[in-house]
Amino acid sequence: MAIGAAFASIAVVAGLGIVAWIAYEPALPEIARPSPSSFDRGLVAKGEQLATVGDCIVCHTAPNGAPFAGARALPTPFGILFSNNITPDEKTGIGSWSLAAFSRAMRQGVARDGSHLYPALPYEHFTHVNDGDLAAIYAFLMTRQPVSREAPENQLLPGLGFRPLLAGWKLLFLRQTQFERQANESAEWNRGKYLVDGLAHCGGCHTPRNLAGGEERGREFAGGVAEGWNAPALDETNPSAAIWNVDSLFAYLKTGSDRGHSAAGGPMVPVAEGLSRLNDADVRAIAVYVDSQMHPLRETNLPAVTVVATNDSRSAAAAAHPEADLLFEGACSGCHAPRAPMNINDRPLLSSASDLRADDPRNAVQTLLQGIAPPGGKGAYMPSFSNTMTDRQLADLLAYARARFTDKPAWPDLEAVVGDIRKENAE
């Protein structure tokens, strides 16, 4: 018994030693904050464009906070994380970080002091970014205005604040692989893939995740959930794939609306706002690559299929939902009725609206509850009806619109779905 206990103790100690060895990352030396004038202006300008692709300012800027100063709350299934300060402040930001420390954080998820970073920083995507682009982003961030701001303590489920656990997560889900150019594809396609898989980290939202929060391998771009909204599939399984092509994807990414069947809502609004500042060539490259995933057997940029209802089924919809018919006339018809005076080109037709035609009503519900604020204040605007309509009214209105403008079956338990999503938004 004593010998068995001794062996058990040795095994435990050995196991702990192995865990410590796996989790250990050395601290890298601090440096004096570089002078902004030490960076080439062209490199800084390149870094600004690349940081725009990565949407760095969105996650690293708190509401009404200084740009890149962090402290933004990032809800996750495991609790709330607060983003780090990435301004060049020496004490609370990255002003004392070398390029090597910055590159390690981006690719391996390890801070300068050796602590593991949570994968809310999508380093499983940034591992694909090349050295030159990381150097450009570093130059851009190091020339920003330093801001002294500490991030609040994370509010995670018990035990998950123990950062060495993240080393195990990385063993399971972090694959440090470099981008490989596909010789049989165009330069534009390869550029799009490089951006989508790397800095743009599109799979972070548009790929399903497992219970541990890792992206499901083999299901890239099969759709996910982001901030209470469905991030639709970006592959051929997207039920609206036929009505997208390179031109409509480019317009949607650049402006937040494709002037036909979709307007950016929820977490896509800041993405589109950022891409509006990105050069057209890179936005189009992203569109070319996404189009190839949605239509793997179709020639690039063939005309998209136009989905328009052959008739307006108002009579049948009104018979089934008489109160909603009145609600629609009062609240919606000015913008969304056929030939309505405000139904201008940048407002999608309901007969071809992707959210209204989807199998899952979540995004349609969120659109009514949260409204749509166009990127940069330019484009289609829709107010929130959260405070002016009950769950029953919203459910009835959505059921009416789906029956009137699409040939899709009714969504089940719609009032309960509206109530559940309203509660999620309030948490």
Side-chain angles (χ1 to χ4, degrees):
M1 292 292 290
I3 294 176
F7 274 116
S9 297
I10 292 172
V12 169
V13 171
L16 291 173
I18 293 172
V19 170
W21 176 74
I22 292 173
Y24 173 74
E25 292 287 351
L28 297 182
E30 293 187 0
I31 65 169
R33 186 175 77 199
S35 167
S37 62
S38 67
F39 295 101
D40 177 77
R41 289 184 179 180
L43 188 66
V44 172
K46 176 183 177 182
E48 181 177 20
Q49 285 284 284
L50 293 169
T52 296
V53 176
D55 240 5
C56 305
I57 196 170
V58 174
C59 287
H60 291 277
T61 304
N64 302 314
F68 304 108
R72 182 186 180 94
L74 305 173
T76 78
F78 312 103
I80 297 176
L81 294 168
F82 290 91
S83 61
N84 295 326
N85 183 341
I86 56 172
T87 72
D89 180 68
E90 295 97 322
K91 299 298 183 183
T92 65
I94 61 171
S96 63
W97 291 33
S98 63
L99 174 58
F102 177 76
S103 297
R104 183 176 73 166
M106 291 285 281
R107 288 183 175 144
Q108 300 176 38
V110 179
R112 187 205 60 77
D113 63 4
S115 61
H116 291 276
L117 298 170
Y118 289 94
L121 174 69
Y123 39 78
E124 71 267 39
H125 289 274
F126 295 163
T127 186
H128 302 301
V129 183
N130 65 46
D131 291 344
D133 285 352
L134 287 179
I137 297 170
Y138 176 78
F140 169 70
L141 293 175
M142 283 299 190
T143 54
R144 300 309 92 199
Q145 180 66 37
V147 178
S148 177
R149 182 169 187 179
E150 290 275 7
E153 288 291 325
N154 295 323
Q155 301 169 11
L156 298 172
L157 295 174
L160 296 184
F162 185 60
R163 288 180 182 263
L165 289 174
L166 294 169
W169 189 94
K170 294 175 189 178
L171 281 176
L172 293 172
F173 304 118
L174 178 59
R175 295 291 180 268
Q176 297 184 49
T177 56
Q178 295 182 339
F179 171 75
E180 294 185 3
R181 188 181 186 279
Q182 303 297 309
N184 60 328
E185 299 287 356
S186 68
E188 187 175 44
W189 184 95
N190 275 283
R191 176 64 174 173
K193 179 175 174 57
Y194 172 73
L195 294 174
V196 166
D197 289 352
L199 283 171
H201 59 281
C202 301
C205 291
H206 292 274
T207 296
R209 292 182 178 270
N210 56 36
L211 292 176
E215 293 179 24
E216 295 184 14
R217 292 201 187 99
R219 299 192 65 200
E220 290 82 3
F221 305 129
V225 177
E227 299 179 27
W229 293 67
N230 285 336
L234 299 182
D235 60 15
E236 69 272 21
T237 65
N238 186 313
S240 298
I243 56 179
W244 289 99
N245 69 355
V246 173
D247 291 336
S248 59
L249 285 165
F250 173 83
Y252 177 77
L253 293 170
K254 191 74 175 179
T255 69
S257 173
D258 74 325
R259 296 179 180 268
H261 61 277
S262 190
M268 268 306 296
V269 173
V271 172
E273 185 172 5
L275 292 177
S276 70
R277 300 189 297 274
L278 182 63
N279 65 84
D280 286 357
D282 277 350
V283 177
R284 190 163 187 86
I286 292 172
V288 165
Y289 178 70
V290 172
D291 179 72
S292 74
Q293 302 308 294
M294 296 180 80
H295 314 106
L297 302 179
R298 187 178 82 179
E299 183 181 341
T300 299
N301 207 28
L302 288 179
V305 175
T306 302
V307 178
V308 179
T310 55
N311 54 42
D312 181 356
S313 303
R314 180 180 179 183
S315 297
H321 307 279
E323 293 184 15
D325 183 61
L326 294 175
L327 278 175
F328 186 90
E329 283 302 298
C332 312
S333 63
C335 294
H336 292 295
R339 295 176 297 281
M342 295 180 66
N343 196 342
I344 54 179
N345 289 335
D346 60 356
R347 184 169 281 109
L349 296 171
L350 292 185
S351 57
S352 57
S354 296
D355 291 345
L356 198 59
R357 301 179 63 84
D359 295 335
D360 186 334
R362 173 171 287 272
N363 285 3
V365 172
Q366 288 286 37
T367 299
L368 290 184
L369 288 173
Q370 296 188 22
I372 292 177
K378 298 178 181 179
Y381 167 79
M382 179 172 166
S384 164
F385 294 101
S386 178
N387 295 326
T388 57
M389 292 189 191
T390 66
D391 293 349
R392 187 188 65 77
Q393 288 174 320
L394 289 173
D396 201 26
L397 187 59
L398 285 170
Y400 168 85
R402 188 167 167 90
R404 177 175 173 179
F405 294 106
T406 82
D407 56 357
K408 301 296 183 180
W411 285 311
D413 304 318
L414 198 48
E415 184 174 348
V417 172
V418 173
D420 289 344
I421 294 176
R422 190 196 290 270
K423 289 177 184 177
E424 288 177 17
N425 293 347
E427 292 177 355

